[in-house]
Every structure is written in structure tokens, then in C-alpha cells.
Amino acid sequence: MPLTDGDVPTLLLGPLLRHVDPVSATVWVETDRPCSVEVLGRTARTFSVGGHWYALVVVEGLEPGSTTPYEVHLDGVHVWPEASSPFPPSRIRTPGRPGPFRLAFGSCRYAAPTTVDVTEGIPPDALDAYAERVARLPEDEWPDALVMLGDQVYADELTTATRSWLRSRRGQSVPEDAQTRDFEEYTHLYAESWTDAQVRWLLSTIPSSMVFDDHEMIDDWNTSAAWRRRITATDWWAERIAGGLVSYWVYQHLGNLSPAELAENTTWQAVRALPEDADAEPLLREMALAADRDPHTVRWSYVRHWGDARLLMVDSRAGRVLEEQARRMVDDVEFAWIEDQMRQAVDDGVGHLLVGTSLPWLLPHAIDSIERWDEALAVRHEGRLLGRAAEALRQAADLEHWAAFGHSFDRLAAALLSVARGEHGPAPATALVLSGDVHHAYAAEVVAPGGLTGRVHQLTVSPLHNQAPHPIRIGFRIGWSRWARRFTGAIARAARVRPPSVEWAKAAGPFFGNQVGELVLEGRQARFVLHVSDHRTGGQEVLQQVLDLPLADPVPATVAVDG
């Protein structure tokens, strides 16, 4: 129905509480029309992208360690919290409070459960169940941060409801394997994922940090140079990647930035400088296409500061170097920035260095060996029959994690080990790589080389709301087995594949099902807690804790000395 001057603006999505530091916060919203958005007395005008309206309100002047309930007003009208909400009021909780720092994390959320056909057999949504669990806890037990490690939406695996919507929009039949085409269709995916009441409340109250993975664009995104040559030759890729990256910038990346970073971000400042009635989509589309052609034009990686913890989120998708003879997960300029941020964390005396990357660094050993073997064959025999066979296997089996970029794997290992040895200053108690993607959860720890003052772990949690088909579950269980490790290791050695520069051991897992991980950090101590969703009597969805794993060395007892 057309809007009239008498209509009240509507809050379509959000509020999402995004960047929070000791003295400031940002709050993101989507509305149904241009309006003024107010949070705690601070206002922002909406900006338009493709006929949709968004705002990012910067709230400054907060007190460290404080808790501040907030409301959202559109053109002076109260729209949040909703009067009928069963959840506690949304609030901004700034770092600096006493007690442990709690961080929730996970990845791979295939839409909200209300939009998924029951015949798909997907287990209960762990993020919904986690939100309900948090709402029942005392506030001092709530997580302080939420980290979403990729695949917040699935552009290449659409629900029945979305395919029905596409039929109406496109005016034609839509096949079972239909995918999104443009920005407008991406906006529907975010609406589908972020409107359920539980997750909407959670995202309004717990500060969130996000990064993309392949399904936000397309499966196998930037797997290899051969893949990229094929995809860029199509007549539809430019529209797809433009819609994907523009929507990611609007819905996810903008909220990852601090107020100081927003002030220096040329794209954000250009959007803000547009007239109120201008549409920012052409400007953002140009940014997106340039970023796809030349990753140096946009840095998607970023840093979050949380007192004694530091999160370095690494873009392990858009910034890859794909030339077969010089494959890199991250280019040299970006990697130098990553290493500098690690050294800066040590200089600042953080107790826990967290590295977020959508793709696991340490995989099940057998899968790691296969990925190294495949990369070696593809590089060594590029352009020949064996190289083409290795490339076909790479794409068919998704062999494109850090292990399939051996140079980058070893460079990340060297950077983490340098930090854990204390080469740049006192070592953090832990260096933790947080990842998703592989549809199961596990913990692994570096066990060689030795001489580490801090401990180095890989923590993987996936999915939040999806499922691992039975063959994949079997494959990952086998991947961790000793006999599979010996077998695939022998294959790699026979092909003269250089082994990884570190050795690791599985500390826990694999765990399957929809799941949410938690880090509990207090002083030099750290624990990894894992919750898996389950059905109980009466159909109620609940989370079951399946793991509580210490990650740091025990604090030595104080020794009393006579005299």
C-alpha cells in the first residue's frame, strides 16, 4: 500500500547493536521509509540503497562498565522495544565490568526456522534457543559479544518460501536450485533470517561482529583461478557479486566499524554526503565491483578491542590471490597488516588474542593432507591433465581451506607461534583461531613445535541452523581417525608434498547438530563451552551443554615464603 504523509515509519529490521567499546556504540536499523532514527538522544537520518532505507546511529558519551537500556524512535515515535515483547529490554553494556568476559560464536545460519520447510529436516535453530537461554539468565551471565563467522544468509540455497517470493517477483517459474540475482533479492534473505523474535532480541542486546563466507555470494567463491575465469565469463556474475557485496556492506560490514573507523571510511562518508533523496546503490555498486576486481580497494578485515581480549577478524574469501603459482589466502599487503595487528595486541598486553576466520586453519588431519596433496598437484601440473583433475576435485570437494593455501597456512602459523613464544613481548595466555564452515564442532591444539609460553588452539563451531548430511558426518569422523591420517599422510609424502609447519592434536569433538560456542575469559584463564540444540518432551527446543574445555594453563598457586 502506498505510504501517505500520515503514515508512521515502521522498523523492518533491527535494531542491531553492533560495535560497542567502553564509551560508544553503534545501532543499525532498516525502516520502510526515510525518517529520523533516535537512540538515547542521538539521531541519524536514514540513507537509501535500492529503494530501501537504513540508518546507523552512533551513540557516544557512555560510561565504561555501564548498562544502559535503550529505545528506538522513528520521527519521534517509539517503535522499540515492542510492547508485547516477552524479552528483557534491549540494553547497551559497555566493556569494563568486573567478572569474566563471555563471547558467543558460530556460523552457517540457513534462514530462520519459521521460514524453513519442515520436510527439510533441519534440527532446531541453536541461535534461537541460545537467545531464549540468555533471556532467562541474570544479566551478569549474558555474553558480552557475539561473533558470526560466515554464511549469515544463503544466496545459493533458497528456502521454499523464498523461491515462492522469487516466482512472484520475477513473474516466471523458479527452479529448485534457483539463486539470488541482485541486491533486491538479497534484502529478502536478510529479512528472512533476522525477523524471528528470539534472534531479533539477541541482536538488539548483544554486540555483534560479522564476516562473510562463500554462501553469502556463491558456493566455491574464489576457490581458484580456474573457478574465477569460469564465473567471470558468465553474463550474470557482475550483477550477483555487486548485489552480494553491496548487501554485505549495508547489513554486516558497516556495523563492524568503530566510530573512528566510520569517520575515516571513504565509502561511508560518500554515502553520508549524498542528498537525502539520493540513492546510494550506484555508488555502492561501483565500490563492490571494484572490490571484486581488485581486493586492495576495500579492507573487509577489522579489529575489535575488548579490554584483555582482542579480536582480529580476517577476510579469508574476498582478498585471495588465486594465480596457481602464487596462491595466497590473503595477499602480502593484507598479511603484513594482520601481523602488525598481532604485534600491536602483544604491545597492548592483551591476555587473549582471538583470530576470526570463516574457514578453519587446523582441520582434521586426513582432510588437511588431502587439501595439501590436491594443491601440490594443481600447482605442479597446471594446464596438464593431472592438474585439471586436481582442480576438478578441488571444486567438487570444497578443498579450499587454509591447508589448500599452504604458504598462507605456514605464514599464519609463524605469526601465531611468534606471539605464543613471547617474541614481541609477554605472550598472551591463549591465541585462539575461531572458525566455522565445516558443519561440525571441534577443538584442536598446536602441540609442536614446542617452546610456547601461550597456548594456541583452533575452535570451530558450525552450524547455527543447518545440517551436515550423513555422508559428511562420516567423512569428518574418518578425517580425525588415526588410520585415515596415516593413509592420507602416506599419499601426500609419496607426492612429495611439504608437510605443515605445525603439529596439532584434537582436544574435543567432533560434535554434530546445530550449536553455539562460548568463550569464557577471565584474567589468564579461558574455557571453551559448547551448546548443541536438541528436542525435548513437548517439542520444546533447548540447548544441551556438551563441552567445557579449559584452554589456558592453570594459574600457579601463590607460594608463601618464610621470613
Side-chain angles (χ1 to χ4, degrees), residues 15 27 87 113 131 144 151 157 177 181 191 198 224 263-264 307 334 357 386 399 417 422 459 506-507 523:
V27 178
F87 294 98
D144 299 282
D151 293 342
E157 296 179 18
D177 60 353
R181 290 178 177 172
Q198 299 93 328
S224 64
E264 297 176 355
E334 182 88 348
T357 165
L386 190 55
L399 304 181
L417 294 179
L459 306 176
K506 177 168 66 70

Side-chain angles (χ1 to χ4, degrees), residues 327 371-380 394 403-406:
R327 280 169 59 84
E371 295 206 2
R372 293 175 188 278
W373 168 79
D374 182 83
E375 183 193 26
L377 294 184
V379 171
R380 198 177 296 159
R394 174 193 279 164
F405 293 77

Side-chain angles (χ1 to χ4, degrees), residues 550-561:
L551 302 173
D553 292 329
V555 176
T558 302
V559 178
V561 179

